[in-house]
mmCIF file of all heavy atoms in Angstrom:
data_model
loop_
_atom_site.group_PDB
_atom_site.id
_atom_site.type_symbol
_atom_site.label_atom_id
_atom_site.label_comp_id
_atom_site.label_asym_id
_atom_site.label_seq_id
_atom_site.Cartn_x
_atom_site.Cartn_y
_atom_site.Cartn_z
ATOM 1 N N TYR A 1 8.209 5.917 -3.080
ATOM 2 C CA TYR A 1 9.388 6.272 -3.676
ATOM 3 C C TYR A 1 10.583 5.758 -3.042
ATOM 4 O O TYR A 1 11.591 5.645 -3.492
ATOM 5 C CB TYR A 1 9.418 7.820 -3.746
ATOM 6 C CG TYR A 1 8.202 8.407 -4.423
ATOM 7 C CD1 TYR A 1 7.375 9.267 -3.707
ATOM 8 C CD2 TYR A 1 7.813 8.042 -5.728
ATOM 9 C CE1 TYR A 1 6.164 9.737 -4.338
ATOM 10 C CE2 TYR A 1 6.755 8.514 -6.350
ATOM 11 C CZ TYR A 1 5.870 9.400 -5.598
ATOM 12 O OH TYR A 1 4.783 9.926 -6.192
ATOM 13 N N GLU A 2 10.461 5.416 -1.683
ATOM 14 C CA GLU A 2 11.567 4.843 -0.890
ATOM 15 C C GLU A 2 11.581 3.315 -0.960
ATOM 16 O O GLU A 2 12.542 2.767 -0.503
ATOM 17 C CB GLU A 2 11.358 5.181 0.572
ATOM 18 C CG GLU A 2 11.339 6.832 0.749
ATOM 19 C CD GLU A 2 10.935 7.122 2.210
ATOM 20 O OE1 GLU A 2 9.712 7.212 2.460
ATOM 21 O OE2 GLU A 2 11.845 7.329 3.121
ATOM 22 N N ALA A 3 10.599 2.693 -1.549
ATOM 23 C CA ALA A 3 10.479 1.255 -1.636
ATOM 24 C C ALA A 3 11.457 0.736 -2.753
ATOM 25 O O ALA A 3 11.361 1.351 -3.893
ATOM 26 C CB ALA A 3 9.129 0.895 -1.793
ATOM 27 N N ASP A 4 12.173 -0.269 -2.530
ATOM 28 C CA ASP A 4 13.031 -0.890 -3.514
ATOM 29 C C ASP A 4 12.211 -1.764 -4.416
ATOM 30 O O ASP A 4 12.343 -3.065 -4.254
ATOM 31 C CB ASP A 4 14.186 -1.619 -2.858
ATOM 32 C CG ASP A 4 15.225 -2.051 -3.827
ATOM 33 O OD1 ASP A 4 14.993 -1.719 -5.108
ATOM 34 O OD2 ASP A 4 16.087 -2.869 -3.614
ATOM 35 N N LEU A 5 11.417 -1.279 -5.259
ATOM 36 C CA LEU A 5 10.567 -2.048 -6.188
ATOM 37 C C LEU A 5 11.320 -2.638 -7.433
ATOM 38 O O LEU A 5 10.760 -3.328 -8.259
ATOM 39 C CB LEU A 5 9.382 -1.230 -6.643
ATOM 40 C CG LEU A 5 8.494 -0.781 -5.476
ATOM 41 C CD1 LEU A 5 7.368 0.143 -6.026
ATOM 42 C CD2 LEU A 5 7.675 -2.033 -4.872
ATOM 43 N N ALA A 6 12.589 -2.305 -7.471
ATOM 44 C CA ALA A 6 13.409 -2.924 -8.452
ATOM 45 C C ALA A 6 13.857 -4.373 -8.076
ATOM 46 O O ALA A 6 14.144 -5.109 -8.947
ATOM 47 C CB ALA A 6 14.573 -2.020 -8.799
ATOM 48 N N ALA A 7 13.782 -4.629 -6.808
ATOM 49 C CA ALA A 7 14.117 -5.977 -6.327
ATOM 50 C C ALA A 7 12.971 -6.910 -6.644
ATOM 51 O O ALA A 7 11.893 -6.529 -7.149
ATOM 52 C CB ALA A 7 14.234 -5.898 -4.847
ATOM 53 N N PRO A 8 13.260 -8.250 -6.616
ATOM 54 C CA PRO A 8 12.137 -9.211 -6.749
ATOM 55 C C PRO A 8 10.955 -8.816 -5.794
ATOM 56 O O PRO A 8 11.207 -8.842 -4.606
ATOM 57 C CB PRO A 8 12.739 -10.593 -6.449
ATOM 58 C CG PRO A 8 14.192 -10.359 -6.626
ATOM 59 C CD PRO A 8 14.573 -8.968 -6.339
ATOM 60 N N ALA A 9 9.824 -8.461 -6.302
ATOM 61 C CA ALA A 9 8.839 -7.859 -5.465
ATOM 62 C C ALA A 9 7.447 -8.339 -5.725
ATOM 63 O O ALA A 9 7.061 -8.725 -6.862
ATOM 64 C CB ALA A 9 8.867 -6.339 -5.669
ATOM 65 N N ALA A 10 6.669 -8.388 -4.658
ATOM 66 C CA ALA A 10 5.265 -8.639 -4.762
ATOM 67 C C ALA A 10 4.507 -7.453 -4.047
ATOM 68 O O ALA A 10 4.928 -7.073 -2.886
ATOM 69 C CB ALA A 10 4.848 -9.941 -4.033
ATOM 70 N N ILE A 11 3.589 -6.869 -4.687
ATOM 71 C CA ILE A 11 2.815 -5.775 -4.144
ATOM 72 C C ILE A 11 1.397 -6.213 -3.756
ATOM 73 O O ILE A 11 0.702 -6.837 -4.481
ATOM 74 C CB ILE A 11 2.635 -4.696 -5.194
ATOM 75 C CG1 ILE A 11 4.053 -4.067 -5.582
ATOM 76 C CG2 ILE A 11 1.810 -3.449 -4.623
ATOM 77 C CD1 ILE A 11 4.017 -3.329 -6.804
ATOM 78 N N VAL A 12 1.035 -5.964 -2.417
ATOM 79 C CA VAL A 12 -0.274 -6.399 -1.984
ATOM 80 C C VAL A 12 -1.176 -5.261 -1.992
ATOM 81 O O VAL A 12 -0.923 -4.148 -1.390
ATOM 82 C CB VAL A 12 -0.101 -6.952 -0.500
ATOM 83 C CG1 VAL A 12 -1.538 -7.405 0.048
ATOM 84 C CG2 VAL A 12 0.895 -8.053 -0.411
ATOM 85 N N ILE A 13 -2.309 -5.359 -2.582
ATOM 86 C CA ILE A 13 -3.358 -4.332 -2.727
ATOM 87 C C ILE A 13 -4.635 -4.786 -1.933
ATOM 88 O O ILE A 13 -5.018 -5.911 -2.150
ATOM 89 C CB ILE A 13 -3.737 -4.090 -4.259
ATOM 90 C CG1 ILE A 13 -2.556 -3.625 -5.054
ATOM 91 C CG2 ILE A 13 -4.876 -3.097 -4.269
ATOM 92 C CD1 ILE A 13 -1.918 -2.276 -4.610
ATOM 93 N N GLY A 14 -5.109 -3.970 -1.038
ATOM 94 C CA GLY A 14 -6.238 -4.333 -0.253
ATOM 95 C C GLY A 14 -7.611 -4.019 -0.932
ATOM 96 O O GLY A 14 -7.688 -3.385 -1.939
ATOM 97 N N GLY A 15 -8.634 -4.638 -0.283
ATOM 98 C CA GLY A 15 -9.955 -4.482 -0.929
ATOM 99 C C GLY A 15 -10.603 -3.195 -0.677
ATOM 100 O O GLY A 15 -10.146 -2.318 0.103
ATOM 101 N N GLU A 16 -11.684 -2.954 -1.422
ATOM 102 C CA GLU A 16 -12.415 -1.601 -1.372
ATOM 103 C C GLU A 16 -12.885 -1.378 0.044
ATOM 104 O O GLU A 16 -13.751 -2.254 0.553
ATOM 105 C CB GLU A 16 -13.592 -1.696 -2.318
ATOM 106 C CG GLU A 16 -13.196 -2.065 -3.715
ATOM 107 C CD GLU A 16 -12.992 -3.547 -4.013
ATOM 108 O OE1 GLU A 16 -13.388 -4.328 -3.163
ATOM 109 O OE2 GLU A 16 -12.389 -3.837 -5.014
ATOM 110 N N GLY A 17 -12.511 -0.368 0.722
ATOM 111 C CA GLY A 17 -13.028 -0.046 2.066
ATOM 112 C C GLY A 17 -12.219 -0.649 3.154
ATOM 113 O O GLY A 17 -11.954 -0.016 4.240
ATOM 114 N N GLN A 18 -11.799 -1.857 3.008
ATOM 115 C CA GLN A 18 -11.074 -2.537 4.145
ATOM 116 C C GLN A 18 -9.595 -2.487 4.097
ATOM 117 O O GLN A 18 -8.999 -2.482 5.083
ATOM 118 C CB GLN A 18 -11.508 -4.058 4.080
ATOM 119 C CG GLN A 18 -13.012 -4.356 4.306
ATOM 120 C CD GLN A 18 -13.580 -3.834 5.558
ATOM 121 O OE1 GLN A 18 -12.884 -3.955 6.627
ATOM 122 N NE2 GLN A 18 -14.714 -3.212 5.519
ATOM 123 N N GLY A 19 -9.007 -2.376 2.920
ATOM 124 C CA GLY A 19 -7.543 -2.330 2.771
ATOM 125 C C GLY A 19 -6.972 -3.701 2.976
ATOM 126 O O GLY A 19 -7.628 -4.682 3.078
ATOM 127 N N VAL A 20 -5.626 -3.652 3.211
ATOM 128 C CA VAL A 20 -4.956 -4.870 3.449
ATOM 129 C C VAL A 20 -5.233 -5.341 4.818
ATOM 130 O O VAL A 20 -5.208 -4.502 5.774
ATOM 131 C CB VAL A 20 -3.383 -4.727 3.184
ATOM 132 C CG1 VAL A 20 -2.664 -5.996 3.592
ATOM 133 C CG2 VAL A 20 -3.104 -4.238 1.788
ATOM 134 N N SER A 21 -5.511 -6.551 5.062
ATOM 135 C CA SER A 21 -5.876 -7.081 6.408
ATOM 136 C C SER A 21 -4.668 -7.012 7.373
ATOM 137 O O SER A 21 -3.459 -7.021 6.854
ATOM 138 C CB SER A 21 -6.410 -8.513 6.385
ATOM 139 O OG SER A 21 -5.327 -9.406 5.970
ATOM 140 N N ALA A 22 -4.951 -6.917 8.637
ATOM 141 C CA ALA A 22 -3.832 -6.831 9.674
ATOM 142 C C ALA A 22 -3.050 -8.091 9.573
ATOM 143 O O ALA A 22 -1.751 -7.948 9.734
ATOM 144 C CB ALA A 22 -4.453 -6.632 11.040
ATOM 145 N N LEU A 23 -3.572 -9.264 9.339
ATOM 146 C CA LEU A 23 -2.822 -10.501 9.249
ATOM 147 C C LEU A 23 -1.856 -10.453 8.145
ATOM 148 O O LEU A 23 -0.688 -10.857 8.302
ATOM 149 C CB LEU A 23 -3.741 -11.699 9.172
ATOM 150 C CG LEU A 23 -3.055 -13.002 8.992
ATOM 151 C CD1 LEU A 23 -2.241 -13.364 10.211
ATOM 152 C CD2 LEU A 23 -4.076 -14.153 8.823
ATOM 153 N N VAL A 24 -2.266 -10.026 6.924
ATOM 154 C CA VAL A 24 -1.434 -9.977 5.856
ATOM 155 C C VAL A 24 -0.314 -8.949 5.963
ATOM 156 O O VAL A 24 0.870 -9.190 5.692
ATOM 157 C CB VAL A 24 -2.256 -9.746 4.501
ATOM 158 C CG1 VAL A 24 -1.381 -9.428 3.395
ATOM 159 C CG2 VAL A 24 -3.129 -10.842 4.235
ATOM 160 N N LYS A 25 -0.748 -7.768 6.542
ATOM 161 C CA LYS A 25 0.297 -6.735 6.712
ATOM 162 C C LYS A 25 1.464 -7.271 7.612
ATOM 163 O O LYS A 25 2.612 -6.954 7.456
ATOM 164 C CB LYS A 25 -0.372 -5.485 7.262
ATOM 165 C CG LYS A 25 -0.942 -4.590 6.229
ATOM 166 C CD LYS A 25 -1.267 -3.241 6.834
ATOM 167 C CE LYS A 25 -2.499 -3.221 7.773
ATOM 168 N NZ LYS A 25 -2.961 -1.869 8.121
ATOM 169 N N LYS A 26 1.091 -8.044 8.686
ATOM 170 C CA LYS A 26 2.007 -8.582 9.564
ATOM 171 C C LYS A 26 3.017 -9.422 8.921
ATOM 172 O O LYS A 26 4.166 -9.543 9.298
ATOM 173 C CB LYS A 26 1.296 -9.313 10.705
ATOM 174 C CG LYS A 26 2.180 -9.900 11.740
ATOM 175 C CD LYS A 26 1.470 -10.566 12.894
ATOM 176 C CE LYS A 26 2.342 -11.139 13.928
ATOM 177 N NZ LYS A 26 1.488 -11.764 14.926
ATOM 178 N N GLU A 27 2.573 -10.116 7.838
ATOM 179 C CA GLU A 27 3.476 -11.068 7.170
ATOM 180 C C GLU A 27 4.290 -10.368 6.162
ATOM 181 O O GLU A 27 5.344 -10.900 5.698
ATOM 182 C CB GLU A 27 2.602 -12.090 6.407
ATOM 183 C CG GLU A 27 1.763 -13.028 7.290
ATOM 184 C CD GLU A 27 2.735 -14.102 8.040
ATOM 185 O OE1 GLU A 27 3.959 -14.161 7.708
ATOM 186 O OE2 GLU A 27 2.236 -14.724 8.955
ATOM 187 N N CYS A 28 3.999 -9.131 5.763
ATOM 188 C CA CYS A 28 4.748 -8.438 4.777
ATOM 189 C C CYS A 28 6.057 -7.829 5.267
ATOM 190 O O CYS A 28 6.227 -7.601 6.423
ATOM 191 C CB CYS A 28 3.928 -7.404 4.151
ATOM 192 S SG CYS A 28 2.486 -7.875 3.139
ATOM 193 N N ASP A 29 6.981 -7.710 4.387
ATOM 194 C CA ASP A 29 8.245 -7.139 4.715
ATOM 195 C C ASP A 29 8.177 -5.582 4.943
ATOM 196 O O ASP A 29 8.719 -5.085 5.901
ATOM 197 C CB ASP A 29 9.309 -7.293 3.658
ATOM 198 C CG ASP A 29 9.664 -8.800 3.481
ATOM 199 O OD1 ASP A 29 10.178 -9.375 4.460
ATOM 200 O OD2 ASP A 29 9.624 -9.318 2.294
ATOM 201 N N TYR A 30 7.366 -4.976 4.136
ATOM 202 C CA TYR A 30 7.293 -3.515 4.223
ATOM 203 C C TYR A 30 5.766 -3.112 4.035
ATOM 204 O O TYR A 30 5.057 -3.778 3.371
ATOM 205 C CB TYR A 30 8.022 -2.871 3.228
ATOM 206 C CG TYR A 30 9.481 -3.120 3.291
ATOM 207 C CD1 TYR A 30 10.051 -4.228 2.538
ATOM 208 C CD2 TYR A 30 10.400 -2.456 4.110
ATOM 209 C CE1 TYR A 30 11.377 -4.557 2.661
ATOM 210 C CE2 TYR A 30 11.724 -2.775 4.210
ATOM 211 C CZ TYR A 30 12.291 -3.821 3.501
ATOM 212 O OH TYR A 30 13.565 -4.150 3.638
ATOM 213 N N VAL A 31 5.397 -1.994 4.652
ATOM 214 C CA VAL A 31 4.137 -1.406 4.453
ATOM 215 C C VAL A 31 4.342 -0.002 3.949
ATOM 216 O O VAL A 31 5.110 0.786 4.526
ATOM 217 C CB VAL A 31 3.254 -1.266 5.752
ATOM 218 C CG1 VAL A 31 1.894 -0.672 5.410
ATOM 219 C CG2 VAL A 31 3.114 -2.625 6.362
ATOM 220 N N VAL A 32 3.921 0.330 2.743
ATOM 221 C CA VAL A 32 4.244 1.593 1.989
ATOM 222 C C VAL A 32 2.999 2.402 1.673
ATOM 223 O O VAL A 32 1.872 1.790 1.531
ATOM 224 C CB VAL A 32 4.991 1.288 0.701
ATOM 225 C CG1 VAL A 32 6.371 0.627 1.061
ATOM 226 C CG2 VAL A 32 4.297 0.402 -0.308
ATOM 227 N N ARG A 33 3.162 3.618 1.533
ATOM 228 C CA ARG A 33 1.921 4.538 1.284
ATOM 229 C C ARG A 33 2.255 5.298 0.035
ATOM 230 O O ARG A 33 3.369 5.576 -0.344
ATOM 231 C CB ARG A 33 1.790 5.475 2.467
ATOM 232 C CG ARG A 33 2.746 6.586 2.577
ATOM 233 C CD ARG A 33 2.470 7.395 3.857
ATOM 234 N NE ARG A 33 3.396 8.540 3.890
ATOM 235 C CZ ARG A 33 4.557 8.517 4.408
ATOM 236 N NH1 ARG A 33 4.975 7.446 5.044
ATOM 237 N NH2 ARG A 33 5.356 9.622 4.450
ATOM 238 N N ILE A 34 1.095 5.699 -0.586
ATOM 239 C CA ILE A 34 1.175 6.665 -1.757
ATOM 240 C C ILE A 34 0.934 8.052 -1.099
ATOM 241 O O ILE A 34 -0.155 8.225 -0.495
ATOM 242 C CB ILE A 34 0.077 6.343 -2.796
ATOM 243 C CG1 ILE A 34 0.415 4.911 -3.337
ATOM 244 C CG2 ILE A 34 0.073 7.351 -3.867
ATOM 245 C CD1 ILE A 34 -0.777 4.480 -4.270
ATOM 246 N N PRO A 35 1.782 8.968 -1.390
ATOM 247 C CA PRO A 35 1.596 10.321 -0.783
ATOM 248 C C PRO A 35 0.233 10.968 -1.328
ATOM 249 O O PRO A 35 -0.084 10.819 -2.456
ATOM 250 C CB PRO A 35 2.675 11.090 -1.325
ATOM 251 C CG PRO A 35 3.833 10.105 -1.597
ATOM 252 C CD PRO A 35 3.042 8.917 -2.047
ATOM 253 N N GLN A 36 -0.489 11.511 -0.478
ATOM 254 C CA GLN A 36 -1.805 12.096 -0.761
ATOM 255 C C GLN A 36 -1.846 13.589 -0.425
ATOM 256 O O GLN A 36 -1.463 14.025 0.748
ATOM 257 C CB GLN A 36 -2.927 11.387 -0.059
ATOM 258 C CG GLN A 36 -3.057 9.958 -0.493
ATOM 259 C CD GLN A 36 -4.110 9.197 0.349
ATOM 260 O OE1 GLN A 36 -4.105 7.979 0.399
ATOM 261 N NE2 GLN A 36 -5.033 9.922 0.958
ATOM 262 N N LYS A 37 -2.258 14.466 -1.325
ATOM 263 C CA LYS A 37 -2.486 15.872 -0.986
ATOM 264 C C LYS A 37 -3.940 16.336 -0.993
ATOM 265 O O LYS A 37 -4.217 17.450 -0.591
ATOM 266 C CB LYS A 37 -1.642 16.663 -1.998
ATOM 267 C CG LYS A 37 -0.118 16.414 -1.901
ATOM 268 C CD LYS A 37 0.582 17.405 -2.751
ATOM 269 C CE LYS A 37 2.142 17.157 -2.618
ATOM 270 N NZ LYS A 37 2.913 18.202 -3.463
ATOM 271 N N GLY A 38 -4.827 15.564 -1.556
ATOM 272 C CA GLY A 38 -6.212 15.878 -1.574
ATOM 273 C C GLY A 38 -6.953 15.640 -0.202
ATOM 274 O O GLY A 38 -6.326 15.266 0.758
ATOM 275 N N LYS A 39 -8.250 15.761 -0.288
ATOM 276 C CA LYS A 39 -9.011 15.658 0.971
ATOM 277 C C LYS A 39 -9.747 14.226 1.044
ATOM 278 O O LYS A 39 -10.129 13.851 2.218
ATOM 279 C CB LYS A 39 -10.050 16.730 1.052
ATOM 280 C CG LYS A 39 -9.437 18.097 1.101
ATOM 281 C CD LYS A 39 -10.525 19.220 1.263
ATOM 282 C CE LYS A 39 -9.882 20.585 1.206
ATOM 283 N NZ LYS A 39 -8.811 20.794 2.209
ATOM 284 N N ILE A 40 -9.943 13.525 0.058
ATOM 285 C CA ILE A 40 -10.618 12.305 0.124
ATOM 286 C C ILE A 40 -9.689 11.201 0.765
ATOM 287 O O ILE A 40 -8.376 11.298 0.495
ATOM 288 C CB ILE A 40 -11.289 11.768 -1.232
ATOM 289 C CG1 ILE A 40 -10.211 11.643 -2.351
ATOM 290 C CG2 ILE A 40 -12.290 12.848 -1.654
ATOM 291 C CD1 ILE A 40 -10.812 11.001 -3.625
ATOM 292 N N PRO A 41 -10.195 10.131 1.292
ATOM 293 C CA PRO A 41 -9.328 9.190 2.063
ATOM 294 C C PRO A 41 -8.324 8.519 1.252
ATOM 295 O O PRO A 41 -7.132 8.393 1.674
ATOM 296 C CB PRO A 41 -10.326 8.256 2.616
ATOM 297 C CG PRO A 41 -11.640 8.950 2.629
ATOM 298 C CD PRO A 41 -11.600 9.847 1.436
ATOM 299 N N SER A 42 -8.595 8.001 -0.009
ATOM 300 C CA SER A 42 -7.595 7.165 -0.659
ATOM 301 C C SER A 42 -8.034 6.891 -2.070
ATOM 302 O O SER A 42 -9.173 7.146 -2.493
ATOM 303 C CB SER A 42 -7.478 5.774 0.021
ATOM 304 O OG SER A 42 -8.681 5.102 0.036
ATOM 305 N N LEU A 43 -7.148 6.329 -2.826
ATOM 306 C CA LEU A 43 -7.413 5.808 -4.224
ATOM 307 C C LEU A 43 -8.181 4.549 -4.109
ATOM 308 O O LEU A 43 -8.015 3.792 -3.065
ATOM 309 C CB LEU A 43 -6.109 5.669 -4.924
ATOM 310 C CG LEU A 43 -5.224 6.813 -5.241
ATOM 311 C CD1 LEU A 43 -3.837 6.370 -5.654
ATOM 312 C CD2 LEU A 43 -5.899 7.704 -6.310
ATOM 313 N N ASN A 44 -8.872 4.166 -5.258
ATOM 314 C CA ASN A 44 -9.369 2.880 -5.188
ATOM 315 C C ASN A 44 -8.349 1.849 -5.460
ATOM 316 O O ASN A 44 -7.149 2.167 -5.876
ATOM 317 C CB ASN A 44 -10.654 2.781 -6.090
ATOM 318 C CG ASN A 44 -10.274 2.660 -7.562
ATOM 319 O OD1 ASN A 44 -9.109 2.655 -7.933
ATOM 320 N ND2 ASN A 44 -11.372 2.527 -8.363
ATOM 321 N N ALA A 45 -8.757 0.562 -5.311
ATOM 322 C CA ALA A 45 -7.718 -0.523 -5.391
ATOM 323 C C ALA A 45 -6.940 -0.547 -6.769
ATOM 324 O O ALA A 45 -5.732 -0.710 -6.826
ATOM 325 C CB ALA A 45 -8.368 -1.858 -5.206
ATOM 326 N N SER A 46 -7.675 -0.389 -7.890
ATOM 327 C CA SER A 46 -7.046 -0.487 -9.179
ATOM 328 C C SER A 46 -6.153 0.716 -9.410
ATOM 329 O O SER A 46 -5.110 0.596 -10.069
ATOM 330 C CB SER A 46 -8.144 -0.597 -10.318
ATOM 331 O OG SER A 46 -8.997 0.471 -10.372
ATOM 332 N N ASN A 47 -6.515 1.846 -8.984
ATOM 333 C CA ASN A 47 -5.692 3.081 -9.171
ATOM 334 C C ASN A 47 -4.506 2.965 -8.314
ATOM 335 O O ASN A 47 -3.314 3.300 -8.777
ATOM 336 C CB ASN A 47 -6.417 4.359 -8.784
ATOM 337 C CG ASN A 47 -7.546 4.701 -9.775
ATOM 338 O OD1 ASN A 47 -7.337 4.315 -11.035
ATOM 339 N ND2 ASN A 47 -8.538 5.446 -9.398
#
């Protein structure tokens, strides 16, 4: 919600289980999260 996704933007989605690699994250401008209230670790990549 804090990310300026109205700007020219590219969203990086990581793979199942591994997520975005450290190398790729280092190259990105921002690392953003989806707020989670449940108990399971995360959404799958397509969600």
Side-chain angles (χ1 to χ4, degrees):
Y1 306 119
E2 300 169 278
D4 186 9
L5 296 173
I11 299 168
V12 184
I13 301 296
E16 306 81 11
Q18 301 298 319
V20 179
S21 68
L23 175 61
V24 170
K25 278 194 285 189
K26 184 178 178 181
E27 295 289 346
C28 293
D29 293 304
Y30 301 94
V31 182
V32 299
R33 71 180 186 275
I34 297 174
Q36 298 176 198
K37 294 187 177 182
K39 299 182 183 301
I40 63 173
S42 64
L43 295 167
N44 76 1
S46 61
N47 288 335

